[in-house]
Every structure is written in C-alpha cells, then in structure tokens.
Amino acid sequence: MNKKTIINKEWDNIFYKYGEKYVFSNHAFPLYLFTERLYKELKTNGVKDVLFMSREGQFLKKLFDCYCKIQNEFGLDPMNIKTHYFFGSRNSTMAASLAPLENESFELLFRFFTFLNSESFMHSIGFSKDQISEVGKSLKSNIKLYHFNYHKSKCFKELKQNEAFKRIYDENRKNQKEAFLRYINSFGLDYKQDGLVFVDIGYHGTMQDLINKFFDSKVNMKGYFVKNRSPKEECEYKIGLLSDKTNTRFPGEQINSYDAYNYEQLLRADHGRCLDYKIVGEYAEPIIDIELDDIEVFEKYVKEMQSQIFDKFELITKKAIQEKTDITNLCIIYYYETIKNKSMYDYNWIIDMQDTSHDDFGIVGYFGRFFPKGLRKAVFKAKDHIFLLKNKKYIKKLKTTNS
C-alpha cells in the first residue's frame, strides 16, 4: 500500500498502521461512526438497557463498551446504560414465535426464502437433526429435494399432514415459547414498560420481527442496525446507522452502503449459533451449536483482524474526543480509501471467510463457494473499480471540505 497523504499525518498514521495486512482493519473508521451514532441515539431516547444480538453483536458490544469507557475517562457526560449480550438466532426465535400449525403461515421465513427443501425448512424452524431424521423416515417425498416455490409444493403439503412432524412441531413450539420467555426474563428488564432495544448487524431485522411476533406486538421494540434494508413503513423502529435504504438522515449512505455484507464476516463471534433454549430453574439458558467450526474459524481468520480493528477504534475514539470535532466526513473518506487500497490479503481473507460461512436460516450454506476463487476475486475487483470511479468526485469534494 503506497503511503499517500489522505487527510493529515496523525489520522493517516492510524489508517496505515499494520501496513498491508490488513487494509480491512480500517473498518474501524465506519465502525466508530456506527458506535458514535448509536451512543447518541440511545442517549437522546433515554435508553437504560440495550441488547446486543449474537453473534455479530459480540464485537459491536465490545466497541460500544470501549467508547463509553473512554467517554467516562475524559470526564464527558457519562451515560448510565447497561449493555447485555443476547444469545439468539433466527432459528431459535422462529421456534419460539410459532403459532399452532393450522394458524401458522411461516411468512417471516417465506418472505425471503422460497427455494427450500423439507430438510432446510425444518432446520429453519428449529428442528434438531434427530427430529428431521425421524420425520424424514416417515415421508414419501425426498426431504433433500429443492423446490423454487417450496411453500406451494406437494412436499410441503405432505410435511404439514405428517403425524410425526405435527407432534414434534407442537412439542418444540410449546417448549421453546416457555424457555424463551424465561430467557428474556433472566435479564431482569421491565420490557413491558420500557420496551426492548436491540443492536444487530441487521439488513431486514428478521430476529426483531420474530420476537415481536412472540410478544403478539404488545412490547415496543427498536432495532439499531449496521445496515437496514427494511421497507419504509418499518423505518421508525428499524434504523440503519451506517446504511439505511429509507432513512436518509445520516450522511455517507452512498459510501457506507458499499460492501456492507462484509460486516457479517468482520463481526464473527468466538462461539457457534444459538440452537434453542433450555429451562434451568426459574430461568433458561441458550444451547450453543458446538458441531460446526466456528471457534476454529474465529481463531484462524477473525481474531487478528478484530484485534487490529479494536486497536484502531480506541485510537480513533480518543483522538476524536480530544479534538472535539465531528469526524463524520473523515470516516467516510477513510472507508472509501479502504476499498481503494484493498490488499491481496484482504481479497483472500474475504474469500476464505465466505468459504467458511454457515447460513442456517432458509438456504443452508454459502453457494458462492462453488465458484472458483480466481473468478470471485476478479468480480470483487471489477465491482470495487466501478464503486471508486462512481464516487471519486464526491470523495474529492469531502476532502476539500475537510482540509
């Protein structure tokens, strides 16, 4: 990476720290912007407790706690807010939100995923491997056969009429409703009075929708996301702090929305997904998947990257607070420069991360891995080139304003 002056020497030193491995560590700049905006939103709205959703919320919580700590160290208006780490997945919250089979439409699954088979459908609504196997043995149709419109297929109709499926479905939903309620209550929040505030990577906020369904829309909820792609009618209670399809009050959308899906990889947690919940005494605990290679992947690919991001995040936060200046434009510029200066390490890293990705709701697995790495890298580079050309004048104007 050629060290050219971007803003000034002090800020550039943070950007260039760690050399060419990895330029991706400069996601610390947009993540600072996300954290600062989150802090201001929570403070403005008088939020007392906030739930960071697993798994991407693990690192987001770490950054937010760091930001608050530094605020206090500099003697700035301390915000008495408690941060909680909430174990959940679309699968576990789906299982808890299910209505009796005759009244359940599975709309929150089928709105984005219709290319399914019976196996992936049962997996998505919280069935265990053993339960899927038991149901599969009693079906005439092949549970591994995919359908473009699974919800309209004969296989889906047969599944819903299957006695083993109906029995397990009913047992699961009743058990998980009780267990999930006890898990929510274990945080000691007065959610009926104060509502619930979630922080997550976002996109469509399916987990928030499922929890809202669980509570029959009787508990006020708000979600703060890295990226929000929900429809306009949901923008009052789902807000993208870096990128938002319908809410334009935050500057930098055209830059920060680019490659936002990479945050799924950058924010990987050091544990597997939440499968469901088990009752332990008065409350309930999450059951975490330990079969997949999540811990191994974190140690091999993610730990070092997050360590570099966190180091830069601390430096950015301290410098921004000391200088008492709005660094919004600066963060936008440095994210553009991050894309512009991507190294081979970065391209290889994102491909390795995609190859180890385990999507487990709707479509299971990452289909991109079936394409050659060289082809994927070429597509990434071409896409980056178009993005850089498209926004070159905008960034030049920001640099002039910021100088």
Side-chain angles (χ1 to χ4, degrees):
M1 181 167 55
N2 296 322
K3 293 188 176 183
K4 298 179 181 179
T5 301
I6 301 172
I7 303 295
N8 61 50
K9 186 176 180 180
E10 290 184 356
W11 283 112
D12 288 357
N13 283 341
I14 298 176
F15 180 84
Y16 288 117
K17 193 176 182 182
Y18 301 115
E20 294 185 357
K21 189 181 180 182
Y22 298 92
V23 181
F24 261 21
S25 64
N26 288 300
H27 279 80
F29 285 95
L31 283 170
Y32 169 83
L33 205 55
F34 170 85
T35 306
E36 180 186 62
R37 288 171 178 175
L38 176 61
Y39 180 89
K40 290 178 179 178
E41 285 284 317
L42 298 177
K43 185 176 180 179
T44 299
N45 291 304
V47 175
K48 300 176 182 177
D49 294 89
V50 60
L51 298 163
F52 286 79
M53 309 285 274
S54 67
R55 290 175 277 175
E56 290 85 355
Q58 185 183 60
F59 192 57
L60 293 177
K61 181 180 182 302
K62 182 177 180 181
L63 296 179
F64 184 82
D65 289 341
C66 173
Y67 182 90
C68 292
K69 181 173 180 255
I70 293 172
Q71 287 270 337
N72 290 335
E73 287 175 356
F74 279 85
L76 298 179
D77 183 20
M79 184 173 63
N80 296 318
I81 183 170
K82 295 180 181 178
T83 60
H84 311 270
Y85 188 53
F86 181 92
F87 282 96
S89 66
R90 289 173 295 181
N91 308 69
S92 67
T93 50
M94 170 65 90
S97 73
L98 293 172
L101 188 58
E102 61 272 17
N103 299 325
E104 181 58 62
S105 67
F106 306 102
E107 187 272 334
L108 292 173
L109 171 61
F110 291 144
R111 67 177 176 176
F112 298 120
F113 302 101
T114 56
F115 183 62
L116 298 166
N117 59 23
S118 293
E119 182 180 52
S120 60
F121 171 77
M122 287 188 281
H123 181 84
S124 298
I125 64 171
F127 276 47
S128 69
K129 289 182 179 179
D130 289 341
Q131 290 173 338
I132 293 172
S133 177
E134 180 183 344
V135 174
K137 290 175 182 177
S138 63
L139 289 171
K140 293 180 181 179
S141 58
N142 183 355
I143 66 170
K144 295 184 180 294
L145 181 64
Y146 277 91
H147 301 266
F148 283 102
N149 290 297
Y150 176 76
H151 59 302
K152 297 179 181 179
S153 70
K154 291 182 180 179
C155 289
F156 182 49
K157 184 177 180 180
E158 180 195 357
L159 181 67
K160 289 194 295 182
Q161 293 173 346
N162 181 270
E163 292 302 321
F165 173 79
K166 289 193 289 186
R167 172 178 51 81
I168 295 171
Y169 174 91
D170 206 43
E171 289 174 356
N172 280 357
R173 75 172 195 87
K174 288 178 180 177
N175 290 339
Q176 287 308 300
K177 276 187 181 298
E178 178 62 27
F180 184 74
L181 180 61
R182 294 194 186 198
Y183 179 64
I184 283 278
N185 289 339
S186 71
F187 290 94
L189 309 179
D190 188 5
Y191 53 79
K192 292 181 180 179
Q193 175 68 32
D194 301 329
L196 290 169
V197 177
F198 300 108
V199 177
D200 199 2
I201 191 168
Y203 301 140
H204 299 289
T206 300
M207 265 211 287
Q208 181 179 334
D209 291 336
L210 290 166
I211 296 172
N212 183 53
K213 182 171 178 272
F214 171 83
F215 283 115
D216 295 323
S217 301
K218 294 177 180 178
V219 173
N220 291 326
M221 294 183 193
K222 182 166 280 191
Y224 293 106
F225 304 142
V226 172
K227 179 175 181 176
N228 180 33
R229 285 295 176 261
S230 302
K232 189 173 183 178
E233 58 268 22
E234 298 178 9
C235 70
E236 288 299 316
Y237 53 90
K238 292 179 181 178
I239 299 172
L241 296 176
L242 274 184
S243 170
D244 197 303
K245 182 180 179 181
T246 56
N247 194 330
T248 58
R249 64 190 173 103
F250 295 117
E253 157 72 20
Q254 69 188 81
I255 304 299
N256 290 326
S257 64
Y258 184 72
D259 262 3
Y261 288 101
N262 285 345
Y263 286 102
E264 288 186 11
Q265 314 305 335
L266 291 161
L267 300 175
R268 290 268 196 107
D270 61 3
H271 62 80
R273 70 184 177 93
C274 176
L275 296 171
D276 50 29
Y277 307 92
K278 64 178 180 180
I279 295 174
V280 180
E282 182 182 355
Y283 298 116
E285 297 176 353
I287 298 176
I288 308 301
D289 190 349
I290 59 173
E291 291 188 14
L292 296 176
D293 55 356
D294 298 283
I295 297 175
E296 179 183 339
V297 169
F298 180 84
E299 290 292 331
K300 184 175 181 179
Y301 296 110
V302 185
K303 189 175 182 179
E304 180 184 2
M305 178 71 78
Q306 287 190 359
S307 176
Q308 292 181 4
I309 291 174
F310 187 78
D311 179 41
K312 289 187 176 184
F313 179 88
E314 280 190 304
L315 294 173
I316 294 166
T317 303
K318 289 178 180 178
K319 186 170 173 57
I321 291 175
Q322 283 177 327
E323 295 184 355
K324 299 179 181 178
T325 56
D326 182 357
I327 64 168
T328 297
N329 288 351
L330 182 147
C331 289
I332 295 168
I333 292 167
Y334 277 123
Y335 183 61
Y336 178 89
E337 291 294 330
T338 298
I339 305 301
K340 184 179 178 179
N341 289 279
K342 272 187 191 176
S343 68
M344 292 307 296
Y345 287 110
D346 295 316
Y347 284 113
N348 290 331
W349 185 86
I350 198 62
I351 287 172
D352 287 335
M353 292 303 295
Q354 288 179 336
D355 286 348
T356 59
S357 180
H358 305 291
D359 196 353
D360 47 50
F361 187 77
I363 297 174
V364 179
Y366 175 71
F367 283 92
R369 63 169 61 93
F370 297 114
F371 294 94
K373 291 185 178 182
L375 175 61
R376 279 188 273 164
K377 197 177 295 183
V379 170
F380 292 157
K381 288 183 177 181
K383 192 160 66 78
D384 289 346
H385 182 67
I386 294 170
F387 165 78
L388 294 169
L389 285 177
K390 182 180 178 181
N391 294 285
K392 188 175 182 180
K393 289 183 179 179
Y394 173 73
I395 292 299
K396 186 177 181 180
K397 184 178 179 180
L398 280 189
K399 286 183 178 180
T400 302
T401 305
N402 208 74
S403 61

